[in-house]
């Protein structure tokens, strides 16, 4: 029997541990008999959990077991096996898979990275597509792509595709990220939109005869269909031209007329989508004259007028009126009031004893009406108790015998140099002037030229010679008498001094 407890080294250790537990009936005896077993308790917690070892240690609870502590010192715990690495886990599904662009042969995709990369990171993505009505998924990329953007190329136009993206790592494939709706392989449709400039959002006011050139940009894909209407009706191409490109449309009117006013509507349409923009164009002209002008009353130095608005306002509001007056004697018009806003006015400071007529012009943003409306009645400004008595003046007799106010002066000239004799005379009636040389009438001799301008008399002697010297006399005479003045003219020779050598 002693041979049985010896080989059970591990059981002895566990038995000692079991003796320390409170359920044993004799808990105090083992510590007194076997003090060497006290260091063993720190290693006991792990073996206590093993059920089979407890069953083997239960029978040897008698004397042979108490002798075993001497052999427990060399017992060692076997080394634990290394903890195996956790199994690789796939990532979560990619996020927010959307279509970035579509053409006739390709689909461009983009997505966000998975929220969870698992235990081994991320190796890349696989993009797959399946035609509508088929169950076969085709891999679009032969190698994993690490980008969050991919373009599926070489597709057939008109196909309807279901698309998904899968994240791949050492743990395998993640759950796929699907597009919510199938994608039609065709050029993507951008909703049409008109970019109406700020300047065109308000009413466009243009003068008659001016040129209109309005450019309106727009966007849309594929190329939109552009249409224009005026007041809900198609445009008259004889008056209005439209030029459209891929990015904008131009409304062009070479010479605007009043009939071109209205609401122009531009429509941009792509498939079932459309956008509209309205332009209000107002063509304005000079207004017509007031419908009527009436002289209501006149008193003292004043006259009261009334008039009615014009029938034609020039397609814009009337901003004022211009009132003018004219004296019947002179017929000249003078402006009394300008930019006047009321339909009645009082004209003051009229001249007593004169008669006046009045006219009124209309004004708008373009300018003043070309014609005016004239009053039919005449305003007579009566004299009030004042009688003009002209003074009596004795008529003055302006007749006068000739009288020289400037006499002739003696002159000296040189042979060949033209000279002139001057004097001034007055008289009423206008006196007759005669020139004499040495008391002989000169008459119409071509050598002399005679002038009489406003009483200034002159005699011009052309290139005189020595024979032209003498006494010259100017005689003025009329019905009341005559007067004379005389002077002496000396003609000198040219003296040439020769230098002696």
């Amino acid at each position: 029997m002693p041979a049985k407890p010896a080989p059970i080294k591990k059981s002895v250790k566990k038995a000692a541990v079991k003796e320390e537990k409170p359920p044993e009936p004799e808990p105090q005896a083992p510590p007194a008999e076997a003090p060497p077993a006290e260091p063993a308790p720190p290693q006991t917690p792990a073996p206590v959990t093993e059920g089979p070892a407890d069953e083997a240690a239960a029978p040897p609870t008698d004397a042979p077991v108490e002798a075993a502590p001497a052999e427990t010192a060399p017992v060692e715990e076997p080394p634990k096996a290394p903890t195996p690495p956790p199994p690789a886990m796939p990532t979560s599904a990619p996020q927010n898979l959307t279509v970035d662009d579509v053409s006739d042969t390709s689909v461009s995709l983009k997505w966000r990275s998975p929220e969870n990369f698992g235990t081994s990171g991320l190796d890349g993505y696989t993009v797959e597509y399946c035609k509508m009505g088929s169950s076969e998924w085709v891999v679009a990329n032969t190698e994993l792509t690490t980008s969050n953007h991919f373009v599926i190329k070489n597709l057939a136009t008109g196909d309807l595709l279901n698309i998904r993206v899968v994240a791949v790592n050492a743990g395998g494939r993640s759950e796929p990220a699907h597009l919510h709706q199938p994608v039609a392989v065709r050029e993507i449709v951008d909703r049409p939109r008109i970019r109406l400039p700020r300047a065109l959002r308000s009413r466009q006011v243009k003068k008659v005869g001016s040129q209109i050139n309005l450019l309106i940009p727009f966007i849309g894909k594929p190329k939109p269909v552009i249409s224009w209407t005026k007041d809900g009706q198609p445009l008259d191409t004889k008056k209005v031209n439209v030029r459209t490109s891929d990015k904008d449309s131009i409304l062009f009117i070479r010479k605007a007329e009043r009939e071109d006013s209205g609401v122009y509507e531009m429509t941009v349409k792509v498939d079932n989508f459309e956008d509209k923009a309205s332009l209000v164009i107002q063509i304005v002209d000079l207004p017509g004259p007031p419908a009527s002008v009436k002289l209501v009353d006149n008193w003292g130095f004043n006259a009261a007028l009334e008039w009615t608005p014009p029938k034609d306002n020039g397609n814009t509001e009337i901003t004022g009126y211009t009132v003018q007056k004219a004296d019947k004697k002179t017929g000249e018009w003078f402006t009394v009031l300008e930019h006047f806003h009321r339909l009645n006015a009082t004209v003051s400071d009229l001249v007593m004893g004169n008669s006046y007529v009045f006219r009124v012009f209309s004004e708008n943003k373009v300018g003043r009406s070309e014609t005016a409306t004239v009053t039919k009645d005449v305003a007579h400004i009566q004299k009030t108790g004042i009688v003009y008595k002209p003074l009596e003046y004795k008529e003055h007799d302006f007749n006068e015998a000739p009288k020289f106010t400037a006499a002739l002066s003696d002159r000296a000239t040189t042979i060949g140099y033209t000279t002139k004799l001057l004097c001034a005379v007055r008289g009423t009636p206008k006196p007759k002037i005669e020139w004499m040389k040495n008391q002989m009438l000169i008459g119409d001799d071509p050598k002399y030229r005679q002038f009489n301008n406003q009483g200034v008399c002159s005699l011009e002697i052309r290139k005189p010679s020595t024979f032209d010297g003498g006494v010259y006399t100017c005689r003025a005479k009329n019905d009341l008498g005559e007067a004379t003045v005389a002077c002496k003219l000396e003609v000198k020779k040219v003296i040439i001094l020769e230098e002696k050598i």
Side-chain angles (χ1 to χ4, degrees):
M1 292 303 293
K4 290 183 180 181
I8 306 175
K9 296 178 181 180
K10 191 174 181 181
S11 299
V12 172
K13 183 180 178 183
K14 292 180 179 179
V17 174
K18 201 167 186 179
E19 290 174 357
E20 296 177 358
K21 291 186 177 182
E24 294 296 330
E26 297 178 359
Q28 298 177 354
E33 296 176 0
E38 291 180 359
Q43 301 177 0
T44 58
V48 169
T49 57
E50 298 181 6
D54 293 341
E55 294 176 359
T61 56
D62 44 4
V65 178
E66 295 176 357
E71 299 179 3
T72 58
V75 175
E76 294 181 359
E77 185 73 20
K80 295 182 180 180
T83 304
M89 298 293 293
T91 70
S92 60
Q95 305 178 79
N96 299 338
L97 176 62
T98 55
V99 177
D100 192 22
D101 194 11
V102 177
S103 68
D104 292 340
T105 58
S106 66
V107 176
S108 178
L109 305 171
K110 63 180 180 179
W111 61 88
R112 290 174 57 189
S113 302
E115 184 178 0
N116 182 12
F117 287 96
T119 58
S120 57
L122 177 66
D123 294 339
Y125 302 94
T126 297
V127 181
E128 302 173 349
Y129 64 89
C130 175
K131 292 185 178 181
M132 197 68 176
S134 174
S135 59
E136 181 182 358
W137 287 92
V138 180
V139 178
N141 53 331
T142 56
E143 297 180 358
L144 294 179
T145 177
T146 57
S147 173
N148 287 20
H149 186 276
F150 188 78
V151 180
I152 306 176
K153 300 180 179 179
N154 302 324
L155 300 175
T157 304
D159 283 351
L160 199 62
L161 303 180
N162 291 312
I163 300 176
R164 67 186 184 186
V165 176
V166 179
V168 179
N169 67 358
R173 292 163 56 94
S174 69
E175 291 292 330
H178 290 271
L179 288 176
H180 298 295
Q181 294 180 351
V183 179
V185 182
R186 66 181 184 88
E187 192 173 10
I188 190 170
V189 177
D190 288 341
R191 286 181 177 268
R193 188 174 62 180
I194 299 174
R195 296 177 174 176
L196 190 63
R198 184 180 297 276
L200 300 181
R201 297 176 188 175
S202 57
R203 183 185 300 268
Q204 302 298 303
V205 180
K206 303 292 183 180
K207 294 182 180 180
V208 169
S210 62
Q211 187 180 91
I212 299 177
N213 192 349
L214 306 179
L215 185 146
I216 305 175
F218 61 85
I219 59 174
K221 188 178 180 182
K223 184 179 179 180
V225 177
I226 311 298
S227 61
W228 283 88
T229 60
K230 176 181 177 288
D231 297 330
Q233 301 297 325
L235 294 180
D236 184 359
T237 55
K238 295 181 180 179
K239 294 184 177 181
V240 184
N241 296 323
V242 175
R243 303 171 187 172
T244 302
S245 65
D246 294 339
K247 298 181 179 180
D248 52 51
S249 183
I250 301 175
L251 180 71
F252 181 76
I253 302 176
R254 187 175 301 277
K255 191 174 181 180
E257 300 178 359
R258 293 271 291 275
E259 295 76 13
D260 296 327
S261 301
V263 179
Y264 291 79
E265 186 176 68
M266 174 183 173
T267 303
V268 181
K269 188 173 183 180
V270 177
D271 292 344
N272 296 326
F273 305 103
E274 67 178 20
D275 191 16
K276 295 183 178 181
S278 297
L279 302 175
V280 180
I281 299 179
Q282 182 178 356
I283 309 301
V284 297
D285 198 2
L286 292 173
S292 63
V293 178
K294 181 180 179 181
L295 176 63
V296 179
D297 190 13
N298 67 283
W299 68 97
F301 305 97
N302 309 300
L305 304 175
E306 286 184 356
W307 58 89
T308 55
K311 296 180 180 179
D312 181 13
N313 62 0
N315 201 27
T316 183
E317 62 179 353
I318 299 296
T319 58
Y321 299 91
T322 298
V323 181
Q324 294 182 345
K325 68 177 180 180
D327 187 354
K328 293 289 288 183
K329 294 180 181 179
T330 61
E332 295 182 5
W333 291 98
F334 297 93
T335 299
V336 179
L337 299 171
E338 196 171 12
H339 311 309
F340 192 73
H341 296 283
R342 295 200 298 267
L343 296 176
N344 55 74
T346 300
V347 181
S348 303
D349 299 329
L350 300 178
V351 177
M352 184 181 299
N354 291 353
S355 299
Y356 294 91
V357 291
F358 304 90
R359 67 182 182 182
V360 181
F361 293 88
S362 302
E363 300 175 1
N364 65 4
K365 294 179 180 179
V366 182
R368 195 173 72 178
S369 60
E370 295 180 350
T371 59
T373 304
V374 185
T375 56
K376 296 179 180 180
D377 299 330
V378 179
H380 300 284
I381 308 302
Q382 300 293 337
K383 298 178 181 180
T384 57
I386 299 177
V387 178
Y388 175 70
K389 294 181 180 181
L391 297 176
E392 294 181 2
Y393 292 97
K394 184 179 179 179
E395 186 176 354
H396 180 70
D397 186 7
F398 291 97
N399 292 330
E400 182 184 6
K403 181 180 179 181
F404 282 92
T405 58
L408 292 173
S409 300
D410 294 342
R411 296 288 304 275
T413 185
T414 305
I415 294 175
Y417 288 89
T418 300
T419 188
K420 184 180 291 187
L421 303 178
L422 296 172
C423 62
V425 66
R426 72 181 183 186
T428 305
K430 183 178 180 181
K432 179 181 179 181
I433 306 299
E434 294 176 345
W435 286 92
M436 295 177 293
K437 175 187 176 186
N438 298 327
Q439 301 300 322
M440 299 292 294
L441 286 175
I442 293 176
D444 296 331
D445 191 340
K447 188 177 182 65
Y448 303 95
R449 296 178 63 187
Q450 303 177 29
F451 300 95
N452 183 6
N453 185 15
Q454 301 293 328
V456 178
C457 305
S458 62
L459 177 67
E460 183 180 282
I461 305 171
R462 298 181 178 181
K463 296 182 179 181
S465 64
T466 56
F467 300 101
D468 294 322
V471 177
Y472 287 85
T473 303
C474 179
R475 182 170 61 189
K477 61 181 179 179
N478 62 9
D479 296 339
L480 300 178
E482 67 177 36
T484 60
V485 289
C487 69
K488 185 178 180 180
L489 177 66
E490 183 182 358
V491 181
K492 299 179 180 180
K493 295 181 179 180
V494 178
I495 300 175
I496 302 176
L497 299 176
E498 296 181 359
E499 183 178 356
K500 293 182 180 181
I501 302 176

